[in-house]
Amino acid sequence: MLNSLDLEGRPEDTRIVVAMSGGVDSSVVAGLLKREGYDVVGVTLQLYDHGEAIHRKGACCAGQDIHDARDVAARLGIPHYVLDYESRFREAVIDRFAESYIAGETPVPCVACNQTVKFSDLLDTARNLGAQALATGHYVRSRLVNGHRAMYRPVDLDRDQSYFLFATTQDQLDFLRFPLGGLTKPETRAIARDLGLEVADKHDSQDICFVPQGKYADVIEKLKPEAAAAGDIVHVDGRVLGRHAGIIHFTVGQRKGLGVATGEPLFVIRLDAASRQVVVGPREALITHRLMLRDLNWIGGTSLDAEVDSGRMVFAKVRSSRPPQAAMIVRQDGRIAVELLDGEQGIAPGQACVLYDGPGDKARVLGGGFIEATASLGTSLAAE
């Protein structure tokens, strides 16, 4: 007989580790599982110096959030541990983020954090604590399909976090549980109030936790002072329009703050780290139709090679804030690429491309990868 988490045994005989960030979502997960009778253990990760971040609004995994997680655990009557993952987080997430930006990419550090620190290191810790599963407050759903768990988009698509979880392996997914996938955010907050949790109305974190006020360049210059190397701002037609103080100050699709004027709206089309060039041009030059992916992770339940050979139609999400759009998985030069049927603007190397079997809330996450190169109609990936 399976319990509500699809595990053998009674809830009281089933230990579940809950990753508690100090926010309302993970707190409600702990509360719901405790109320069902599970043997719940809360674990909070200290990811960077909480002394520096204790008064920072919109951050997570540091300072006030650690205190909030501890208070919630006390309220629920569950054991709670704080683990120092600062060095691991810096190595696996912060340093990689800086290196990616210096290379002219637009990284997604939340994916790297889930991929390494949370769903690798923390998952091992949960197993060492004798847990049968690790539960988180992510808004995604999972269920058993042919003996393994499959990941799906949540009921509340405004809260969909599947974009940040595409790199989850099948082994990790089988051990993870996402109790909030069938709830909306207002319902989650209502449960928090019912449980008497003070975090019920706590604001959600907005910025990347180690980037205050979204100032990426400030963080990168602090970590890598040599990254702010000047270079040319070049039009796609080859004209040199001006100078810049470092490509780390620009992102693909950016329009404001370019520091040049030609009488036409200009956008950042691409960043060339080798030549330190910021390439700009008209909006239409931003349109991308084909993406080459690296570090591809496939959790679609079938053979990726078979899907590619059959010309599998999928839906691709190239930014967390944009809906999935119709696409096709193709093979190019022995590697996997994705063709966007309608094209998309402002796609940059380093971003994630996540693949689904449909566009709506019942869509299954098939996997995804990081964008290595892009191309528009009539050009090759190598040319970009």
Side-chain angles (χ1 to χ4, degrees), residues 17-21 41-50 60-63 65-67 69-70 79-90 113 116-129 134:
V17 165
V18 177
M20 299 181 67
S21 68
V41 177
V43 173
T44 300
L45 304 182
Q46 180 180 313
L47 299 182
Y48 53 92
D49 187 281
H50 64 276
C60 73
C61 306
D65 287 332
I66 292 177
H67 294 292
R70 184 179 291 118
H80 177 254
Y81 302 95
V82 178
L83 305 180
D84 183 354
Y85 274 34
E86 282 191 42
S87 60
R88 175 64 170 140
F89 183 70
R90 172 176 285 275
C113 185
T116 56
V117 177
K118 292 181 180 177
F119 289 172
S120 179
D121 299 347
L122 179 56
L123 190 142
D124 289 340
T125 297
R127 286 194 169 112
N128 290 335
L129 289 171
L134 171 66

Side-chain angles (χ1 to χ4, degrees), residues 169-364:
T169 66
Q170 186 62 63
D171 181 62
Q172 292 167 350
L173 187 55
D174 286 340
F175 193 72
L176 289 162
R177 297 296 184 274
F178 309 104
L180 302 187
L183 300 175
T184 65
K185 186 71 176 199
E187 289 172 336
T188 297
R189 291 196 183 278
I191 293 171
R193 295 186 194 100
D194 185 56
L195 291 169
L197 304 182
E198 292 186 6
V199 296
D201 296 308
K202 184 176 179 179
H203 293 300
D204 294 331
S205 57
Q206 299 295 327
D207 296 323
I208 295 172
C209 62
F210 59 90
V211 182
Q213 289 81 51
K215 297 180 179 179
Y216 307 106
D218 291 352
V219 173
I220 296 166
E221 283 189 272
K222 183 178 180 181
L223 293 170
K224 309 279 187 179
E226 72 282 2
D232 290 331
I233 299 176
V234 182
H235 196 279
V236 289
D237 64 13
R239 287 177 291 150
V240 176
L241 303 179
R243 298 281 289 173
H244 65 78
I247 65 172
I248 62 172
H249 298 284
F250 300 86
T251 57
V252 172
Q254 178 180 333
R255 178 181 178 184
K256 296 182 179 179
L258 301 187
V260 295
T262 62
E264 62 172 328
L266 293 175
F267 301 81
V268 175
I269 306 304
R270 63 180 179 271
L271 302 171
D272 189 329
S275 64
R276 301 199 300 275
Q277 288 186 342
V278 174
V279 181
V280 300
R283 183 189 293 273
E284 55 266 26
L286 283 170
I287 299 176
T288 294
H289 286 85
R290 179 170 286 203
L291 316 170
M292 183 71 79
L293 303 184
R294 59 175 168 80
D295 300 329
L296 189 70
N297 181 57
W298 185 259
I299 49 174
T302 55
S303 164
L304 174 59
D305 287 337
E307 299 285 13
V308 175
D309 293 339
S310 67
R312 170 71 182 264
M313 294 296 299
V314 296
F315 285 80
K317 189 177 177 72
V318 294
R319 281 190 182 171
S320 62
S321 59
R322 294 184 183 177
Q325 65 157 289
M328 180 183 294
I329 310 173
V330 297
R331 202 185 307 276
Q332 178 172 317
D333 301 326
R335 300 174 62 195
I336 300 299
V338 173
E339 284 191 356
L340 305 175
L341 271 60
D342 295 326
E344 183 64 90
Q345 289 189 354
I347 301 176
Q351 292 176 323
C353 174
V354 183
L355 306 175
Y356 304 83
D357 67 358
D361 64 342
K362 295 180 174 59
R364 178 175 179 174

